[in-house]
Amino acid sequence: MLNLLDLKLGRDLRALKSQALAVALVMACGLAMMIMTRSLIQSLDDARANYYEKHRFAEVFAELKRAPESLRQQIAVLPGVAAVETGIEVSVTLDLPNLAVPASGLINAVPERRPVVLNQLYLRRGRLLEGAGTGEVLVSEAFAEANALGPGDEIAAILNGRRQELRVVGIVLAPQYVFEARPGSALPDNQTFGIFWMREQELAEAFNLQGAFNEVAVSLAPGASEPEVIAALDRLLKPYGGLGAYGRSEHPSDIRVDDEIRVLEGLSFGFPLVFLSVAAFMTHSVMSRQIALQREQIAILKAFGFANRTIAWHFIKFALVIVVVGTALGTAGGFALGRQLVDMYHLFFRFPVLAFEPATGAIVGSLVASSAAALLGVASAVRKVVRLSPAQAMRPEPPASFRPALAERLGLARYLAVSVRMALRNIERKPWQAGFTCVALAMATGILIIPNAFRDGVRHILDFQWDTVQRQTATVSLVEPGPLRAAHDFAQLPGVIHTEPFRTVLVEMAAGHRSRRLAMHGLVNQGDLNRVIGLDGRPLTVRGRGLIISEALGETLGIQPGDTVTIRVLQGKRREVTLPVGGFSQDFAGIASFMELGALNRLLGEGDQISGAFMSVAGGQWEAFLRALKETPQAAGVVIKDAMRQSFRQTTAESIGLIQVIYSTFATVVAFGIVYNSARIALSERSRELATLRVLGFSRSDVGRVLVGELVLLAAVALPLGLWLGSGMAGLLIASINTETVRLPLVLSSSNYAYATLVIVLATTLSAWVACRKLHQLDLVGALKAAE
Amino acid sequence: MAASPPPDPPLVVARDLTKTYGSGHAAVQALRGVDLDLPAGELVVLLGASGSGKSTLLNLIGGLDQPTHGELLYRGWDVAQADEAGLTAYRRDVVGFVFQFYNLIASLTARENIALITEVSRRPMSPDEALDLVGLTNRADHFPAQLSGGEQQRVAIARAIAKRPELLLCDEPTGALDVKTGMLVLEAIQRINRDIGTLTLVITHNAVLAEMADRVFTMSDGRLELARVNSHPRPVQELSW
Ligand SMILES: Nc1ncnc2c1ncn2[C@@H]1O[C@H](COP(=O)(O)OP(=O)(O)O)[C@@H](O)[C@H]1O
Ligand SMILES: [Mg+2]
């Protein structure tokens, strides 16, 4: 007997295939997102954990001016320290034959007389710096790829003012450079900034650092307290120009991986939840309808002695088939998309291996979540089946009770066409169903808003950040802080229209018990090139002792404009001041702080010094400018605005773009699914009524209007609601994925609203059209036979 | 087999009307060559066993379905050859239907159910006038769910006749009603036939009803036969069940 029921199940599914598929697709979209994001999280997490463990990534880091090698012993015996690695890291300017721009980077020392215990290198190609030798260099993979360098290639480096030819022998990765960017920059610029390794002896000689080190990394003993080790290290390094020790949570590379995972976590929850709720609602409406249609059949089954349980299970199986199809599609989709995104992570993150790892837990979770959604949807419908008494079900259902709609009760009846009245009364008779449809439509509209808000945020950054904020063509930094006069020298370079000097100094900013190490930028008062823009979009002026910090920093430190912060300079005289925060700036790249150049210099007490200059350069003389710059020994590096913009386009913008396309596609699928499903349900519920109208002499288009009227009415209510809802959801989601390193502004453009509206209108029209086409198949004669 | 020649040209004429459902082995011959002439204004009763083809014939005459073969003329216009738009107009302007299950629009009141039709017809009576004809003036603002079965059927009749159709087709109008209520409904049908002279075709199982008709046909296995012609049809009230 059960086989017969299964046969019926097959037939029912076939009859409802397009609706069942619509539900399964909505489910699949939600699950694909969940599986994709959870798998990516797992892939990143595992790749990182493996890498860190195998290559012994340190846990606490510190840079300093210079300390004797003997200090290493003292560090090693600090309580909580398990292993110590000391080394040399210096800035370098490079001259690559086929690169017009001067490149820069950091060179690290590879010790020759002792093994490396922490932050060990991973060799991708060529060889490491084994044995004796000179003029050999290892190059980080990102830089090597961007500049097509391989073992055997020659590069020229300016080491402490002296030019030296170096031969590339190996391409490597290191766990402290998973994310490789200029210090303080949120964006990779792999063509002009790289990481290099040379033999310690050679490097120390060039920089007069023999028998000394300027950076430390330590790993912690089990159970050790990181803050205590940091404090102990700070005390120990202070006399040697320590720049403040920090843990992994402030490590510029690790924090980026963390942030990415945090973004994925944000995405892995909200979206799927919305999609699955919609799927639950759709399951509910499809199943309720199915059960209403099969009233008599159910009654007969019951009369024949089928147990309630058997019949209920029959309908639950219907829902579970949808779940299985949805989960299968979702898993396949999630894997395919996840693989694509993993490939893209190569742009940001350099791991020895970053393989896509399916999160099996997420698949199980999806199955559970979608089953829960489907069961939730089917529960009340099945309850109806159980309650149905056979005798009652064999009688035709009495006509449904209606009453005049609210609008009519308010006396507006004569303004309403009959079809509108029918629609209004229908809606009022089943307010829950109408409400759910409305909410589902609003959600469909809303989720269309989110991905495009991402897109608009990115566009805003592309235009705003690099046209409104950064109006300089290039930023040139000095090898080390120099006199104000250096800016005038730069002004003499060919094509330079205007220069503005700046000073950058590493500080620790603290408020209460929260603190952050970061660069403080000293800018000229009312500067015209690199401007600081307030939250209202207007430029802020730095003057007096006023301090401006980015909103992200304000959040990190938990302060508001007007609050005071303690600033400890980590260089030079190491002064400490307490200053009020004058205002918040907006900055897509996270934490930042600004002061007036003179005020910063007074604070530092080292005279009028600058770290570099912003300059605008005439387009026609760009080549000449770069050539001259390459010959200028004081210029340590140059950041070219267009290159940064390009980098942003290729990395952040591209990944957000891909996510936007995926989500936008999914949202569109959901929008169509919901509207189509609603139209089909309406058609099924009203087919008898519509057939009657046809028999009574109404044309197909008349009847179509009656059918579509209700849907249009609901869509008209849902649309503005959805736009509002979507704006809120976009704000929430962007806030939840905004991290310290990348900040996306919430931009809600009219084109975004227009697109969402268009999709919903299109979905409604198309679904209405499909439903109206089905009117051709309406069985006029059948409608006159027994009630449904 | 053929009807006796009527004095006026008949309103509806069928010749060799055939209807086959399905094809091949599964084919069902519902009508096997029906010839029929229906004069204007008469009350015609169609009797026959279940499955004999009564509804099929009525649906063809009402323009709900098309014959497989044969001719079906309304005032000389070939219903069988009409297109979708032609059939829609025919149903809207010429035919009034009354069904076994009333088929009222549940979301509209009695008056609105009628107004729905009168708003699109050419020379309708007012909905209230139609309700008056079936004795339901006091139920005008009730929704179908608030009406008894008989009342619903009378509203359905009012809806069918409000446009003053030339043809009123009733398929087992009392099928779902008890005897007493059925009588009320039939009275209404007979009264309307007398008062406005609509050609009325009533399908029923109940042979007693033959007494109320001007003309009685019987149907069996897809073939139609004229059973009798009453020169003096009896009022419904006088019939004994
Ligand atoms: N849509 C249909 N498809 C197939 N067979 C049908 C259909 N409608 C009616 N029939 C068959 O045609 C015959 C006549 O049916 P019908 O006209 O409804 O009879 P009646 O109204 O006299 O009970 C029956 O055998 C019935 O099964
Ligand atoms: Mg019948």
Side-chain angles (χ1 to χ4, degrees):
Chain A
M1 281 302 235
L2 251 178
N3 280 334
L4 228 68
L5 270 186
D6 286 338
L7 199 72
K8 169 178 168 324
L9 180 67
R11 294 223 176 105
D12 290 353
L13 277 166
R14 220 163 308 138
L16 283 179
K17 60 179 176 304
S18 56
Q19 276 169 273
L21 191 68
V23 181
L25 275 178
V26 170
M27 217 174 245
C29 288
L31 297 180
M33 266 184 261
M34 178 154 118
I35 289 170
M36 173 187 90
T37 45
R38 297 307 321 179
S39 297
L40 288 174
I41 291 171
Q42 187 164 326
S43 306
L44 281 174
D45 241 351
D46 285 2
R48 180 169 67 165
N50 266 330
Y51 190 21
Y52 283 2
E53 197 196 304
K54 270 209 190 115
H55 292 262
R56 309 213 47 204
F57 183 47
E59 283 155 292
V60 174
F61 312 83
E63 285 100 50
L64 53 143
K65 205 162 169 68
R66 177 196 182 112
E69 295 245 17
S70 56
L71 197 66
R72 181 162 65 227
Q73 248 351 86
Q74 291 181 49
I75 297 170
V77 298
L78 285 178
V81 169
V84 187
E85 185 62 56
T86 57
I88 297 172
E89 184 178 71
V90 290
S91 305
V92 65
T93 314
L94 298 161
D95 183 0
L96 295 187
N98 44 7
L99 193 65
V101 208
S104 61
L106 295 171
I107 305 194
N108 292 264
V110 178
E112 295 150 285
R113 285 188 298 265
R114 57 179 176 84
V116 176
V117 290
L118 296 175
N119 300 342
Q120 295 163 340
L121 293 178
Y122 171 88
L123 180 67
R124 181 75 87 195
R125 280 195 296 142
R127 61 171 172 83
L128 294 174
L129 299 172
E130 292 134 350
T134 51
E136 292 182 342
V137 68
L138 303 175
V139 181
S140 63
E141 184 183 51
F143 183 81
E145 264 178 22
N147 289 293
L149 288 175
D153 286 338
E154 302 263 329
I155 54 177
I158 321 291
L159 298 180
N160 204 12
R162 271 215 317 280
R163 189 182 167 92
Q164 193 176 339
E165 297 294 326
L166 298 173
R167 199 172 59 261
V168 178
V169 297
I171 307 300
V172 295
L173 306 178
Q176 70 272 39
Y177 297 113
V178 170
F179 176 76
E180 191 178 315
R182 207 173 255 114
S185 169
L187 290 172
D189 186 7
N190 295 326
Q191 198 165 38
T192 59
F193 181 84
I195 311 288
F196 309 89
W197 286 263
M198 281 175 68
R199 287 190 176 78
E200 188 169 38
Q201 193 62 35
E202 218 178 339
L203 194 62
E205 259 168 41
F207 285 86
N208 299 322
L209 283 166
Q210 294 100 326
F213 63 87
N214 69 3
E215 62 164 8
V216 186
V218 307
S219 62
L220 301 178
S225 145
E226 185 183 291
E228 278 169 25
V229 172
I230 288 176
L233 212 50
D234 277 343
R235 272 194 302 278
L236 202 58
L237 296 179
K238 200 166 177 186
Y240 304 99
L243 293 176
Y246 53 94
R248 280 187 185 175
S249 65
E250 283 189 58
H251 189 276
S253 164
D254 191 58
I255 202 173
R256 281 305 297 253
V257 184
D258 259 352
D259 280 354
E260 187 63 33
I261 290 177
R262 192 134 21 112
V263 168
L264 289 170
E265 262 162 6
L267 296 176
S268 76
F269 186 70
F271 258 93
L273 189 72
V274 171
F275 279 48
L276 288 178
S277 330
V278 169
F281 157 71
M282 287 171 74
T283 310
H284 172 79
S285 54
V286 171
M287 292 313 290
S288 297
R289 185 59 206 149
Q290 180 72 350
I291 285 166
L293 280 177
Q294 300 193 346
R295 238 170 91 90
E296 267 179 72
Q297 290 183 39
I298 296 166
I300 291 168
L301 288 174
K302 283 193 175 186
F304 282 174
F306 278 88
N308 269 333
R309 209 163 5 97
T310 318
I311 299 171
W313 175 232
H314 170 72
F315 286 99
I316 289 171
K317 267 201 276 190
F318 189 104
L320 289 183
V321 170
I322 296 179
V323 166
V324 169
V325 173
T327 310
L329 287 175
T331 306
F335 283 6
L337 295 170
R339 289 221 159 79
Q340 264 204 304
L341 272 157
V342 156
D343 287 346
M344 207 182 52
Y345 277 139
H346 200 58
L347 292 171
F348 298 86
F349 301 130
R350 299 288 171 161
F351 292 101
V353 267
L354 177 60
F356 178 78
E357 278 180 53
T360 32
I363 299 171
V364 175
S366 305
L367 207 55
V368 171
S370 54
S371 305
L375 290 181
L376 207 70
V378 94
S380 72
V382 166
R383 209 165 329 124
K384 257 184 246 159
V385 172
V386 172
R387 284 221 209 94
L388 196 68
S389 90
Q392 172 204 340
M394 301 292 255
R395 280 193 299 274
E397 235 177 317
S401 312
F402 282 90
R403 60 172 190 161
L406 180 67
E408 301 173 75
R409 301 200 295 277
L410 293 176
L412 300 173
R414 62 208 162 93
Y415 302 109
L416 302 174
V418 174
S419 60
V420 176
R421 276 187 233 176
M422 285 170 74
L424 285 176
R425 290 173 191 176
N426 257 316
I427 290 170
E428 272 195 37
R429 190 174 78 86
K430 293 184 171 176
W432 282 108
Q433 187 178 333
F436 271 132
T437 306
C438 208
V439 167
L441 274 173
M443 279 190 182
T445 317
I447 50 186
L448 283 163
I449 299 284
I450 299 170
N452 290 333
F454 277 55
R455 179 204 58 198
D456 292 338
V458 167
R459 282 200 191 146
H460 173 82
I461 288 178
L462 279 170
D463 300 341
F464 178 81
Q465 184 66 24
W466 281 295
D467 288 333
T468 309
V469 180
Q470 300 189 6
R471 305 209 289 190
Q472 69 271 34
T473 334
T475 306
V476 177
S477 51
L478 294 167
V479 177
E480 53 188 33
L484 204 51
R485 166 168 44 79
H488 299 297
D489 293 346
F490 286 143
Q492 304 310 313
L493 291 173
V496 173
I497 299 166
H498 182 56
T499 64
E500 275 169 20
F502 67 86
R503 176 86 157 106
T504 301
V505 62
L506 196 64
V507 300
E508 185 180 57
M509 209 174 274
H513 56 275
R514 300 195 212 186
S515 72
R516 209 79 181 75
R517 294 166 71 254
L518 78 155
M520 167 77 81
H521 301 283
L523 307 176
V524 296
N525 187 359
Q526 307 219 312
D528 205 34
L529 294 180
N530 194 76
R531 304 191 300 172
V532 181
I533 305 293
L535 299 182
D536 59 358
R538 278 203 286 269
L540 294 169
T541 46
V542 286
R543 70 167 95 77
R545 275 158 58 94
L547 172 69
I548 291 169
I549 66 173
S550 67
E551 195 183 17
L553 182 57
E555 280 167 22
T556 303
L557 296 177
I559 52 170
Q560 289 296 323
D563 295 347
T564 56
V565 290
T566 305
I567 298 169
R568 274 176 229 115
V569 179
L570 294 170
Q571 290 166 323
K573 299 202 161 78
R574 295 179 156 276
R575 289 196 176 151
E576 187 174 316
V577 283
T578 300
L579 289 179
V581 173
F584 276 0
S585 68
Q586 42 173 306
D587 192 339
F588 81 98
I591 61 172
S593 64
F594 309 93
M595 277 179 84
E596 198 268 318
L597 177 61
L600 181 61
N601 270 328
R602 277 190 296 284
L603 172 61
L604 294 171
E606 295 168 353
D608 277 347
Q609 297 268 57
I610 64 168
S611 307
F614 306 116
M615 31 190 101
S616 58
V617 179
Q621 279 173 283
W622 183 238
E623 307 287 320
F625 167 77
L626 288 179
R627 234 175 296 124
L629 195 64
K630 253 180 135 175
E631 315 277 282
T632 310
Q634 310 102 286
V638 57
V639 175
I640 293 160
K641 180 172 75 173
D642 285 336
M644 290 318 285
R645 199 201 303 249
Q646 191 56 25
S647 161
F648 181 79
R649 270 210 190 97
Q650 282 172 352
T651 56
T652 311
E654 183 151 334
S655 86
I656 290 178
L658 186 57
I659 288 180
Q660 183 246 332
V661 168
I662 294 171
Y663 282 35
S664 186
T665 310
F666 284 2
T668 310
V669 167
V670 171
F672 273 88
I674 292 172
V675 182
Y676 175 74
N677 204 48
S678 304
R680 288 301 301 271
I681 301 266
L683 176 65
S684 163
E685 279 179 348
R686 307 181 67 178
S687 61
R688 186 180 155 78
E689 190 174 292
L690 299 175
T692 303
L693 289 174
R694 292 278 288 126
V695 168
L696 294 176
F698 285 88
S699 67
R700 270 193 204 125
S701 52
D702 295 334
V703 172
R705 261 194 295 282
V706 172
L707 171 64
V708 168
E710 197 177 318
L711 192 61
V712 169
L713 217 61
L714 290 178
V717 175
L719 207 55
L721 188 70
L723 296 179
W724 174 78
L725 201 70
S727 310
M729 291 197 288
L732 272 180
L733 198 71
I734 285 180
S736 86
I737 67 166
N738 265 349
T739 58
E740 251 187 51
T741 50
V742 172
R743 317 269 300 175
L744 207 58
L746 176 62
V747 179
L748 293 163
S749 64
S750 48
S751 78
N752 187 352
Y753 289 138
Y755 175 78
T757 307
L758 186 75
V759 169
I760 296 297
V761 167
L762 218 66
T764 310
T765 312
L766 219 66
S767 305
W769 179 75
V770 170
C772 284
R773 273 184 55 95
K774 295 257 169 198
L775 284 178
H776 288 253
Q777 299 163 18
L778 213 54
D779 181 4
L780 301 196
V781 176
L784 309 180
K785 293 186 182 153
E788 67 177 19
Chain B
M1 171 100 179
S4 57
D8 288 327
L11 197 63
V12 175
V13 175
R15 290 291 174 265
D16 194 24
L17 205 58
T18 307
K19 177 72 184 179
T20 309
Y21 290 111
S23 58
H25 288 298
V28 177
Q29 274 232 304
L31 293 184
R32 302 169 188 264
V34 167
D35 293 324
L36 176 72
D37 294 84
L38 297 176
E42 283 198 355
L43 177 64
V44 179
V45 162
L46 183 53
L47 294 169
S50 178
S52 57
K54 307 182 296 293
S55 294
T56 304
L57 178 60
L58 191 94
N59 293 341
L60 289 181
I61 295 174
L64 295 182
D65 207 351
Q66 305 228 290
T68 316
H69 178 76
E71 229 181 20
L72 178 64
L73 302 175
Y74 160 76
R75 287 189 189 276
W77 177 74
D78 196 344
V79 181
Q81 302 296 321
D83 61 4
E84 182 59 41
L87 284 177
T88 299
Y90 172 67
R91 290 197 298 264
R92 187 184 60 219
D93 300 331
V94 176
V95 187
F97 279 104
V98 176
F99 317 107
Q100 184 178 356
F101 299 104
Y102 335 131
N103 286 58
L104 294 178
I105 308 295
S107 57
L108 298 180
T109 61
R111 187 191 281 114
E112 287 166 340
N113 261 284
I114 299 163
L116 194 65
I117 306 299
T118 56
E119 274 168 19
V120 296
S121 28
R122 277 184 280 174
R123 40 183 192 91
M125 55 183 88
S126 77
D128 288 318
E129 197 181 341
L131 280 171
D132 190 34
L133 275 175
V134 295
L136 280 179
T137 343
N138 56 339
R139 288 281 195 269
D141 292 318
H142 287 59
F143 284 91
Q146 300 163 318
L147 299 172
S148 73
E151 286 170 333
Q152 288 182 58
Q153 190 60 300
R154 278 146 68 201
V155 173
I157 292 168
R159 177 178 67 180
I161 53 97
K163 63 181 167 193
R164 302 182 208 276
E166 286 187 275
L167 206 49
L168 179 64
L169 304 175
C170 313
D171 193 344
E172 303 194 31
T174 59
L177 300 174
D178 61 87
V179 175
K180 249 185 79 188
T181 322
M183 296 255 297
L184 282 173
V185 166
L186 290 169
E187 264 178 53
I189 291 174
Q190 191 173 46
R191 188 168 57 246
I192 283 154
N193 169 258
R194 295 235 172 103
D195 291 0
I196 49 181
T198 303
L199 166 57
T200 306
L201 186 57
V202 181
I203 292 181
T204 176
H205 284 303
N206 193 343
V208 178
L209 294 186
E211 306 262 328
M212 69 183 261
D214 294 304
R215 201 179 289 258
V216 180
F217 288 95
T218 56
M219 188 112 205
S220 76
D221 198 18
R223 287 177 225 279
L224 187 72
E225 228 166 303
L226 178 64
R228 71 198 236 203
V229 178
N230 293 330
S231 46
H232 297 289
R234 294 172 58 189
V236 174
Q237 299 93 310
E238 294 175 16
L239 303 181
S240 54
W241 301 69

